[in-house]
Amino acid sequence: MSHDETLKESLTRNGVSRRGFLKFCATAASIMALPPSMVPAIAAALESARRPSVIWLSFQECTGCAESLTRSHSPTVEGLIFDAISLDYQHTLQAAAGDAAEEAREEAMKENWGKYILVVDGSIPLGNPGYSTIAGISNLDMLKETAKGAAAIVAVGTCATFGGIPKANPNPTGAVSVSDIIKDKPIVNVSGCPPIPVVITGVLAHFLTFGTIPELDELGRPKVFYGNNIHDRCYRRPFYERGEFAETFDDEGAKKGWCLFKLGCKGPITYNACATAKWNEGTSFPIESGHGCLGCSEPNFWDMGGFYKALSQPAVDVSQTAAYALGAGAVAGLGIAALNRKKKADVATDHQTVTIHDLRRNDPSKTEAEDS
Amino acid sequence: MSNVNTCASLDTGNDILILHEIRHALRKLLDDGESTIIDLRAIPMAPGEEARIEAMLGQGELSATLNALGKSTINETAFSGAWLITHYNTEDEILGKFIEISKLPSILASQHEDIEVALEQLTHQLLV
Ligand code: SF4
């Protein structure tokens, strides 16, 4: 497929019928978290969409984000979205290496100057450029150079969006996020460790469909995916409201599916789409599997107290607060968001590391002596 | 990840809300002829809730299978006018699940563009 061919032309050339195209649009709308009534508009936009060039840079990362995407559950539709873009550089996936790979990047930049999408996963070390280089070029130099000609940047994963695990205390490499360095380009932060694959493709599909980036929250994340916190959409929420909490991972409460707040769930301060988009072909998400949310799509999640340490306390009666906010004519979500942010700040200052003892404290078969 | 905590008492209550939404949509279809589509994947559900909705909707008179970019099943539910549409990819994994409230789901009808191609092909075949 050439850069000048539209997505529609490419599908037709591949023998995809109009019905197939409509199915693609319906699924794309669902991926973009847009209402199904938008399908005709999406179809009209995609019919004339031209194939954008994508350059994907990987810095201090574990490749989990690319794994999440390439192993995502919908090879057909997501594959089509990938066919619909031109992935001109991705050093993990491309066959070329070394100078040949760098030439491909430079050529793609030159050919599509001002129009390409730059995808970045991984954080950028500022401590010493030697911590992470590609073909002898430091991450910082490569990012600055490649960002110059980009139409927009998609930072994928919590490392690229907020510094992530490399930035965790004591941040030995001086890791920073993409938005700490690039200030003059639109940046979409697709956070998560890793991000939900459909969220990554959702952002690309949005760019493909509308030629723009989606509406962002104050942390630069697309509102359609990060507009709600996990707690607000969690199916265990009724147990939270009733004060029914699992106290250990194998007590009666855990077996009955009660709220995991006391086991360290960070759902109340975490904004992401896991509760609806889910993972592994929509099978479940961590809370559905019996483990609290780690808060991986939030800045500094690694340093937000122990994973198994409860947030300060469920002292704030959220439903009550929402009622006050509504009574005052305010938007309930705003009141709760402010509270959650305060809670998050409190948690950050109350940092505590996890010990083996913390992990074992719920296992009655382990004694103190064994732990020490 | 497996559903280790499935439990009959888990319930978001969204299954009943969806049934109400379908009821309103059926009324709208009768009064104004307007169709509605509900994206089931956009709604939080407890383990087993989606299956419960499907069981409550039941199976109606008509089922169809579409083969385009993988399979899609289009089943009229026991409530005439409410259709359950499931799109699969070529590996038979579910891509999306929708409830469409309409007289005939739009994806079932032959599409203008495909008819044009068919006309061209048939004309060509008759000329050869
Ligand atoms: S605290 Fe966690 S498990 Fe409990 S309702 Fe909130 S998100 Fe769900």
Side-chain angles (χ1 to χ4, degrees):
Chain A
M1 179 177 168
S2 84
H3 282 236
D4 290 332
E5 195 175 34
T6 63
L7 173 62
K8 177 71 190 3
E9 284 161 357
S10 140
L11 292 176
T12 310
R13 190 168 45 78
N14 286 306
V16 176
S17 67
R18 178 73 186 176
R19 279 202 192 98
F21 179 62
L22 290 177
K23 173 173 169 176
F24 170 78
C25 293
T27 317
S30 183
I31 286 176
M32 287 188 272
L34 292 172
S37 54
M38 290 282 292
V39 170
I42 293 168
L46 279 180
E47 266 175 340
S48 53
R50 294 197 187 274
R51 186 188 192 204
S53 167
V54 172
I55 296 177
W56 182 316
L57 301 178
S58 296
F59 297 144
Q60 289 193 129
E61 45 84 41
C62 67
T63 313
C65 297
E67 278 278 323
S68 167
L69 184 62
T70 52
R71 292 184 191 277
S72 67
H73 70 277
S74 39
T76 310
V77 167
E78 304 203 348
L80 276 173
I81 287 173
F82 264 82
D83 283 350
I85 62 170
S86 166
L87 190 54
D88 290 326
Y89 177 92
Q90 214 288 4
H91 70 220
T92 313
L93 300 177
Q94 73 193 131
D99 289 344
E102 292 323 302
E103 272 165 29
R105 179 176 63 92
E106 281 157 22
E107 207 180 295
M109 283 170 61
K110 209 161 71 193
E111 260 180 38
N112 305 287
W113 190 258
K115 288 186 287 195
Y116 58 83
I117 303 172
L118 172 59
V119 178
V120 180
D121 65 334
S123 61
I124 302 97
L126 294 186
N128 175 342
Y131 282 131
S132 177
T133 62
I134 298 163
I137 307 167
S138 76
N139 290 172
L140 180 64
D141 287 346
M142 191 176 275
L143 174 62
K144 280 183 171 170
E145 184 191 316
T146 319
K148 267 188 212 147
I153 301 176
V154 184
V156 167
T158 299
C159 297
T161 54
F162 306 130
I165 294 175
K167 193 186 165 213
N169 275 336
N171 191 2
T173 63
V176 298
S177 68
V178 173
S179 55
D180 284 330
I181 295 168
I182 306 297
K183 304 287 183 193
D184 57 350
K185 293 283 172 184
I187 299 176
V188 185
N189 280 335
V190 181
S191 62
C193 190
I196 303 173
V198 292
V199 176
I200 309 175
T201 35
V203 170
L204 294 177
H206 192 284
F207 193 85
L208 195 63
T209 310
F210 302 107
T212 58
I213 60 170
E215 202 189 336
L216 306 177
D217 72 3
E218 58 180 13
L219 292 175
R221 301 176 296 194
K223 276 187 182 165
V224 281
F225 302 112
Y226 298 89
N228 289 293
N229 74 24
I230 300 289
H231 188 59
D232 286 342
R233 313 216 94 194
C234 177
Y235 73 91
R236 295 190 191 228
R237 181 64 181 268
F239 296 112
Y240 175 91
E241 299 294 349
R242 291 201 294 266
E244 290 175 329
F245 301 104
E247 303 278 344
T248 70
F249 283 109
D250 56 359
D251 67 1
E252 272 314 295
K255 284 178 194 148
K256 286 182 177 152
W258 287 359
C259 170
L260 301 166
F261 184 90
K262 291 191 176 173
L263 291 170
C265 181
K266 304 293 184 286
I269 56 164
T270 304
Y271 289 76
N272 207 339
C274 302
T276 42
K278 302 195 176 178
W279 289 83
N280 298 334
E281 296 172 45
T283 304
S284 67
F285 67 116
I287 291 170
E288 196 168 333
S289 304
H291 194 286
C293 165
L294 301 183
C296 76
S297 56
E298 295 300 313
N300 306 320
F301 80 100
W302 204 259
D303 292 324
M304 282 202 292
F307 288 150
Y308 301 98
K309 184 175 176 255
L311 291 169
S312 44
Q313 69 282 14
V316 182
D317 182 342
V318 180
S319 52
Q320 193 65 24
T321 314
Y324 287 146
L326 279 174
V331 181
L334 275 183
I336 294 169
L339 264 173
N340 287 336
R341 268 189 289 282
K342 156 119 185 34
K343 219 185 255 181
K344 187 154 54 177
D346 291 349
V347 167
T349 50
D350 192 20
H351 169 70
Q352 204 190 56
T353 49
V354 181
T355 63
I356 293 282
H357 175 72
D358 287 333
L359 294 176
R360 287 185 173 178
R361 80 189 155 113
N362 300 316
D363 186 347
S365 65
K366 301 281 182 303
T367 62
E368 284 287 325
E370 271 180 279
D371 287 340
S372 53
Chain B
M1 278 187 257
S2 65
N3 304 340
V4 291
N5 282 291
T6 45
C7 165
S9 66
L10 291 182
D11 195 349
T12 59
N14 282 336
D15 44 357
I16 300 299
L17 292 181
I18 289 172
L19 292 181
H20 278 290
E21 198 177 338
I22 295 172
R23 200 182 73 85
H24 284 294
L26 284 173
R27 162 76 34 224
K28 207 159 61 175
L29 181 63
L30 276 182
D31 291 351
D32 315 325
E34 204 182 304
S35 327
T36 306
I37 303 175
I38 302 167
D39 181 354
L40 282 181
R41 287 291 158 97
I43 301 163
M45 306 251 191
E49 243 172 2
E50 194 174 288
R52 217 148 62 218
I53 293 174
E54 285 180 33
M56 283 194 277
L57 290 174
Q59 174 66 53
E61 293 172 338
L62 204 148
S63 323
T65 309
L66 163 73
N67 289 305
L69 291 178
K71 189 179 71 177
S72 294
T73 55
I74 299 122
N75 292 319
E76 193 175 27
T77 69
F79 303 96
S80 183
W83 302 77
L84 180 67
I85 301 176
T86 310
H87 293 310
Y88 298 83
N89 62 20
T90 45
E91 329 257 289
D92 260 359
E93 294 166 340
I94 294 176
L95 296 175
K97 226 176 228 194
F98 304 87
I99 295 173
E100 180 164 337
I101 294 92
S102 65
K103 290 191 174 157
L104 186 76
S106 48
I107 203 152
L108 273 182
S110 292
Q111 307 290 316
H112 189 89
E113 289 82 347
D114 295 339
I115 301 170
E116 273 175 353
V117 174
L119 177 65
E120 209 173 292
Q121 279 173 345
L122 192 58
T123 309
H124 182 77
Q125 220 161 303
L126 290 172
L127 284 177
V128 181

